[in-house]
Structures are given as C-alpha cells and as structure tokens.
Amino acid sequence: MAAMSSAACGSASAQGSVNRVEGELDQLWNKLRGHKSAPPPAKQSPAGGAPQAPAAPASPAQTAAPAAPSQKAAGATPEIPVVQPKVETVTDYVEITGTAASTNIVKLIARVEGYLEKIHFADGASVKEDDLLFTIQQDQYKAQLQQAKAQLMTQQAALVHAQTELVRYTELFHRNAASATEVDQWVYQKAAAEAGILSAQGQIEVAQLNLDYTEVRAPFAGVMGKHLVDPHNVVGGGGGQPAALAEITQLDPIYVNATLSEQQALGIRANINQRRLTPADLLKVPVDVGLQNGTDYPYHGHIEYVAPQFDPTTGTIEVRGILRNPDRNLLPGLFVRVRLPKGHVAHGALLVPARTISEDQSGLYLMIVNKDDVVEQRYVQAAQRPVGGLRVISSGLEPDELVVTGDLWRVSPGMKVIPKLTSADAQ
C-alpha cells in the first residue's frame, strides 16, 4: 500500500510538470500571435486528480475579427469600368513617310558690276519681300542715268528746231523761195529728232534699271543663308558665271514630297474612280502632316502635284503636297509623317479605346460584359491605325455591347461583375 501511494504521488508530480510546460508553451504561442496570454484549458489528470483551472475564454473580437475580411472579399462582386463602342464616320487613310522641301530657293546674283559696298542682313535672318539685302557701288550708274537724261533733252531740242524749220521752209516752198529738197531735209531732221527722243528714253530706262540693280532685294519672304561675298569685293563680273552673293529659302508655304507604292496608288485610284473625281478635284485632296516624334497631324494642306507615271526602277509614284508653315516648324529635308485619304469612308464605324484591345496567339480580343453581367473573351478584327486614341473594330463587336476598359487584370472569362458605364472619350 505504501509503495502504491508513493508511485501515485510520483506520477501526479510528473503530470503537474507536464501541464506546467504546456501552459508556458500556450502562453508563448499566444504572444507570437498577438493575443493576450490566457491560462491553458483545464485538463483531467490521468490519476483522477482535481481538474486544472480552466483558461479564460477569448473575447469575440479576438476570435471573429480575422475571419470577417476574408469572408467579405470572397462574397463581394467587383465593380468594373466598361464603355459602349463609339459610332462615327471614319475616313480610311494611308500613312507614309515623306520629306519637306522648300517651295523656292533662289541664289542672289549681282546683275551689274561694281564694288560690294554693304550687306544689310544678318546670316540666317528672316526677311520680308523687297527688303534691301546688298548695296553695290552706285556712282557710275547714277552718272550714266544723268547722261541718258541729257541726251533726251538734246533730242527734244532738236525736234523743236526741226519742226520750226519745217514750217518755215514749207511756206517758202509755196512762194517758190525754197526748193523741195530743203523741205525734205527738214522733214528728215524732224523724224530723226523724234527717233532720237525714243532712243534717249530707252537709254534712261536702261540706266535706271542698272542703278536699281545696285540694290539687291529679297524676291520673297524667307530665310537668308550665310553671305558668300564680303564687302569691298568686285561682284557681277561679265566673264563666266557670276558668283552668288547669298541664298534665300522660302519656308511658307512648304512642299511635302512622298512616294506611293503601286498597290497603294492603285487602291486610291480605285476609290477615286468610284467617286468620279476630276483632275482638278484630285489637287484638292487633303494632306495631313506630322513630325516624326509626334502622334498627331497638326499641319494641313492639299495635293499640289501627282507624277504622270510610275518610276519603273522602284515601282512608286511621286506625290507632292503644299501646306502653310507660318511658324516654320517644318524645314527642308526634314522627314515627316504624311497621311493621305484613301477615298473610302466607313459610315457607322465602331471605335473603342486602343488600350482595351489585348492580343494572344489566336489574335486580338476584347473583354465583353454580356447581358447577364458575366465577362466574355471576344476575338475581333481591328484597324491598324488609331483614331485619336481609339481603334476601329471592323468585326466581332456590336454597338450595344459593353467593353471592359479598366482593371483588366482583375477580370477573367466567366467572372460575375458589376459594370460601371464610362465614356469612351474619357479614356
């Protein structure tokens, strides 16, 4: 009996040590989880001893709070932005690369010989039409003009004298006091004086022109290049090709040259023939131009020239447009983007924001919300050219359907959503 009692006491002591260790482990675990420590739950001793003190019950906030957000997220239906396709009339275009070219480039050459006295512009400056650019020595040309005027006065005096003498000798001839030869002589003198007046007037005009040529002026508004001859040099020499004084370039309006492939040109011609455009109407076809680093076409003009034949070596045809360039943003030699209408107009085209279109190995597709508010994946055909941030959907979409335009990463086919209608222009 004593031995059994001693064994029972040892077993109870060991069990108490185990319970104490478990309680410490539970407290440590609660601390790691962020909960307040609580005494471990009461456990029945194997030996039938008194039960341990029960642990304090956890508060409802400690037990229910972690599970509430996950339950809410799992049960909520997401709200997804959608748009209806925009219905517009769209013109089909062909986009090609072209180059800007000046409408006028003129080399300024001295038309009279003399010393170059003064340059009146700064290299690279903008000038207006008829602005004075160069002055050539004028002294000798002023003297030549004076001589021509004096010669005119001489001939005018000779005419007056011949007329007077002709009247006098005509009266003497009627009185038989002068011969017919003398009368004829004064008729000749009168005619010679009249011819001399015409010659002197011509000399005056030539002398005036030479004097005017000593001032080299801008033939049109443009931009000056650098001057090629310094002052005090002789210019306008008669021997050989005269040296240019400078070069002036016209930038407003400006040309845009481009080439169309045979396929592009034939497609445009087919559409034009359907519209029955005359050659005069062809020259009114609009041309839109944009810079290489831009996305829009801020410069507008019209077709000015179409080559009469294809280039057999390249299979292309040259097209030239002309447009205003008041700010001179387009410079000769600059590569530009050129947009020409193909002549085909699509009425009632469906447009959606370009960023709503995705692509996989099967092609382009949109995420559509059907009438049951369920997401569908729809493969479509889309035009390559954006229209102001929108793209034309040529097939696979109806005007009254809803296209997912936001939170595309959140949606998947078969998903139930709440569509939130937005505007396609706001995308």
Side-chain angles (χ1 to χ4, degrees):
M1 296 289 292
M4 294 177 61
S5 176
S6 175
C9 289
S11 176
S13 176
Q15 183 64 38
S17 297
V18 171
N19 291 338
R20 185 172 59 255
V21 172
E22 290 180 349
E24 291 176 354
L25 290 176
D26 289 339
Q27 291 177 1
L28 179 60
W29 175 248
N30 289 331
K31 288 181 180 181
L32 292 175
R33 293 172 57 189
H35 297 293
K36 295 181 181 179
S37 62
K43 295 186 179 180
Q44 187 68 31
S45 171
Q52 302 291 329
S59 64
Q62 292 176 344
T63 58
S70 61
Q71 292 174 357
K72 182 178 179 181
T77 302
E79 189 177 75
I80 299 298
V82 296
V83 295
Q84 277 191 327
K86 191 174 182 180
V87 182
E88 286 187 354
T89 298
V90 178
T91 302
D92 199 7
Y93 292 97
V94 58
E95 297 178 355
I96 51 180
T97 299
T99 55
S102 174
T103 51
N104 273 314
I105 300 178
V106 174
K107 291 183 177 180
L108 302 172
I109 297 175
R111 302 181 67 176
V112 293
E113 185 176 0
Y115 286 101
L116 182 61
E117 287 188 346
K118 190 174 182 180
I119 300 176
H120 300 274
F121 67 93
D123 292 351
S126 298
V127 296
K128 299 178 181 179
E129 183 178 357
D130 206 39
D131 279 356
L132 180 61
L133 305 177
F134 297 93
T135 299
I136 301 172
Q137 184 182 16
Q138 296 180 331
D139 296 342
Q140 60 179 338
Y141 299 104
K142 290 180 179 179
Q144 290 175 1
L145 178 60
Q146 192 69 21
Q147 287 178 346
K149 290 180 178 180
Q151 184 64 28
L152 175 61
M153 295 176 65
T154 300
Q155 295 300 323
Q156 288 174 340
L159 177 60
V160 172
H161 177 66
Q163 289 175 336
T164 302
E165 292 300 316
L166 178 59
V167 172
R168 179 181 299 138
Y169 275 88
T170 300
E171 292 180 355
L172 291 175
F173 174 74
H174 291 309
R175 298 176 184 176
N176 296 324
S179 64
T181 303
E182 293 175 317
V183 174
D184 293 340
Q185 181 65 27
W186 286 111
V187 170
Y188 166 76
Q189 293 294 337
K190 177 179 177 294
E194 291 174 344
I197 289 175
L198 293 176
S199 177
Q201 289 174 342
Q203 292 297 324
I204 290 175
E205 292 179 2
V206 171
Q208 185 64 58
L209 284 175
N210 289 335
L211 181 60
D212 293 341
Y213 290 154
T214 60
E215 295 181 347
V216 180
R217 297 181 177 272
F220 48 76
V223 177
M224 295 299 303
K226 63 181 181 180
H227 68 276
L228 304 177
V229 180
D230 294 326
H232 310 300
N233 283 287
V234 176
V235 297
Q241 181 69 25
L245 303 177
E247 190 173 82
I248 181 173
T249 303
Q250 187 173 13
L251 299 180
D252 184 24
I254 194 168
Y255 286 143
V256 172
N257 297 317
T259 54
L260 290 172
S261 67
E262 184 176 350
Q263 183 178 4
Q264 292 171 331
L266 292 178
I268 293 176
R269 175 170 291 183
N271 293 329
I272 288 176
N273 290 338
Q274 291 177 1
R275 297 172 58 189
R276 301 175 181 268
L277 294 182
T278 65
D281 294 331
L282 181 62
L283 298 181
K284 298 177 183 178
V285 172
V287 175
D288 301 322
V289 176
L291 299 178
Q292 288 289 343
N293 61 351
T295 58
D296 55 351
Y297 295 86
Y299 308 100
H300 309 285
H302 61 86
I303 292 293
E304 197 263 350
Y305 168 77
V306 178
Q309 62 182 7
F310 283 88
D311 186 342
T313 59
T314 61
T316 59
I317 189 170
E318 181 184 357
V319 177
R320 185 174 70 196
I322 187 170
L323 56 152
R324 293 296 311 276
N325 186 32
D327 298 330
R328 296 172 182 170
N329 292 327
L330 301 178
L331 299 177
L334 186 68
F335 284 95
V336 294
R337 295 176 296 110
V338 182
R339 187 175 70 178
L340 298 172
K342 288 184 178 180
H344 176 261
V345 179
H347 299 281
L350 301 181
L351 295 90
V352 299
R355 66 187 184 91
T356 63
I357 302 177
S358 303
E359 185 175 7
D360 60 14
Q361 294 180 350
S362 299
L364 302 178
Y365 66 87
L366 297 171
M367 288 298 186
I368 306 296
V369 178
N370 61 21
K371 296 180 180 180
D372 298 326
D373 294 340
V374 176
V375 177
E376 296 180 3
Q377 184 179 8
R378 180 79 57 77
Y379 286 94
V380 296
Q381 298 291 330
Q384 295 295 327
R385 181 184 58 82
V387 182
L390 305 175
R391 287 187 69 177
V392 178
I393 304 300
S394 54
S395 65
L397 184 66
E398 297 298 329
D400 57 347
E401 291 188 304
L402 300 178
V403 180
V404 177
T405 185
D407 299 339
L408 292 173
W409 59 274
R410 296 176 56 191
V411 299
S412 59
M415 181 178 178
K416 184 78 172 181
V417 297
I418 300 175
K420 181 182 178 182
L421 189 62
T422 60
S423 173
D425 292 329
Q427 303 301 317

